[in-house]
Amino acid sequence: MENVIIISSSKSAGDTLSNFIREDFRCNVRNAESAQIAKDIFNTNALCDLAMIYSPLSDDSGLSLAEYIVENTASNCILISKSENIEKFRERAENIGIITIGRPFNKSFLYQTVKTIEIAMNRSYKLYEETVRLERKIDEIRTIDKAKFMLMEYRHMTENEAHTYLEQYAMNRRKKKVISASEIIDKINEQYL
């Protein structure tokens, strides 16, 4: 987790949360004093991994801003409010992915909550990277298979001949097999299509 935005109309609460995040998580922290300022920050496509809202805000209850954040950004969102207020909208908030914390709370509870978000984000990012890697591999296989198919169709090679031709072509040019396959596809397209 790198970027956090603290939204709080209370300067002391905002400063306390900012210091906590900076010290315990070594993140870049931005502060916003109102819902409108926070929306302006998000609308500039600012990168934000976590938004922490200390409710109520001067221009919002906090819940509608939290809903805006989770519906329009990829940021995680923690809504901190009085315990009696949290009870009123906890189910609604949690159903759309807003984490709620009732005040008063202790530092250790907040740390565990933020740490859990950080761990989940890291795991999600690793899964995303693996998915991207596998998608690239699938695209490479498709390109190679397309080149082989075109060699078989337009140059009347057998599958083994097409495979050997592609490997030899890549080796002779000292290029990756997928790059060589793309070149073969382009050449066949120019010649026959």
Side-chain angles (χ1 to χ4, degrees):
M1 187 163 54
E2 292 180 22
N3 299 298
V4 176
I5 182 169
I6 308 291
I7 304 117
S8 174
S9 294
S10 163
K11 181 154 176 44
S12 63
D15 290 345
T16 301
L17 289 171
S18 294
N19 291 335
F20 164 74
I21 293 293
R22 278 191 192 99
E23 290 170 11
D24 289 6
F25 294 94
R26 308 270 187 254
C27 296
N28 300 318
V29 179
R30 289 180 75 174
N31 287 65
E33 297 78 33
S34 69
Q36 188 56 52
I37 293 171
K39 285 180 182 179
D40 290 344
I41 292 170
F42 283 108
N43 289 335
T44 62
N45 294 323
L47 295 176
C48 180
D49 300 309
L50 174 64
M52 295 179 74
I53 302 169
Y54 190 86
S55 171
L57 302 171
S58 59
D59 59 346
D60 191 289
S61 68
L63 180 60
S64 60
L65 175 61
E67 290 173 332
Y68 174 84
I69 291 168
V70 297
E71 290 170 359
N72 296 291
T73 74
S75 298
N76 292 289
C77 187
I78 296 176
L79 177 60
I80 301 168
S81 188
K82 290 181 181 176
S83 291
E84 58 267 16
N85 293 341
I86 291 290
E87 293 305 319
K88 293 176 190 172
F89 54 74
R90 173 175 278 144
E91 185 176 340
R92 176 177 156 197
E94 291 175 353
N95 282 339
I96 60 171
I98 301 166
I99 297 167
T100 57
I101 297 177
R103 292 193 318 252
F105 59 88
N106 61 37
K107 183 179 176 181
S108 143
F109 177 74
L110 183 60
Y111 177 86
Q112 287 300 319
T113 303
V114 174
K115 193 64 174 174
T116 301
I117 291 170
E118 184 178 48
I119 290 167
M121 285 176 56
N122 289 338
R123 287 184 49 85
S124 294
Y125 186 71
K126 286 179 184 175
L127 289 172
Y128 171 77
E129 285 179 328
E130 180 65 11
T131 301
V132 168
R133 187 189 69 76
L134 291 172
E135 286 173 352
R136 269 194 216 114
K137 188 69 177 165
I138 289 169
D139 286 343
E140 288 177 7
I141 291 169
R142 283 186 182 137
T143 301
I144 291 167
D145 285 348
K146 182 176 180 178
K148 287 180 190 178
F149 174 76
M150 291 179 86
L151 287 168
M152 291 164 48
E153 184 176 350
Y154 294 103
R155 301 257 174 100
H156 308 292
M157 295 181 181
T158 65
E159 186 174 354
N160 284 337
E161 289 170 338
H163 178 79
T164 303
Y165 178 85
L166 179 58
E167 285 186 337
Q168 192 67 44
Y169 185 95
M171 188 171 57
N172 289 345
R173 285 161 181 76
R174 293 188 174 107
K175 293 183 177 179
K176 287 178 127 184
K177 201 181 212 182
V178 69
I179 293 170
S180 296
S182 292
E183 288 177 4
I184 289 170
I185 291 168
D186 290 343
K187 286 180 181 181
I188 291 174
N189 281 335
E190 286 174 15
Q191 189 175 4
Y192 293 100
L193 301 174

